[in-house]
Amino acid sequence: MVRPPLTPEERLRGEQLGMVLRRARAERSIVEVAAAAGMSAETLRKIETGRIATPAFFTIAALADVLGISLDHLVTRSTPAAAP
């Protein structure tokens, strides 16, 4: 199956999500957080850098739980502001 290319908005949203997650991780190691969330450090690294711009819901839910942040917080912080 070939995925359609991401739109610029999807790429931007992925980059913003990655920044929010990176800030929430703070000084914790990427290996520690990834392991606690049940994923590889490389997967978390790709999410934080925006290379995985549309991660699965359960992946984000697991990260939010490990980082102690709500899904609402992630949505509001990673949704680009609407253009006027």
Side-chain angles (χ1 to χ4, degrees), residues 2-83:
V2 177
R3 290 182 70 170
L6 296 174
T7 66
E9 292 81 16
E10 288 171 325
R11 281 196 296 280
L12 177 60
R13 190 172 53 238
E15 290 169 3
Q16 289 177 329
L17 172 64
M19 286 189 301
V20 172
L21 292 171
R22 174 62 190 99
R23 283 190 201 118
R25 185 167 58 83
E27 298 299 319
R28 292 174 69 181
S29 84
I30 199 164
V31 173
E32 172 191 348
V33 172
M39 67 187 68
S40 71
E42 184 60 22
T43 296
L44 179 52
R45 186 174 291 108
K46 287 178 181 178
I47 292 170
E48 285 187 355
T49 60
R51 289 182 17 226
I52 297 178
T54 57
F57 172 79
F58 291 105
T59 300
I60 295 306
L63 284 169
D65 183 51
V66 168
L67 295 170
I69 55 178
S70 72
L71 292 174
D72 288 338
H73 176 80
L74 286 176
V75 169
T76 58
R77 299 287 185 200
S78 62
T79 304

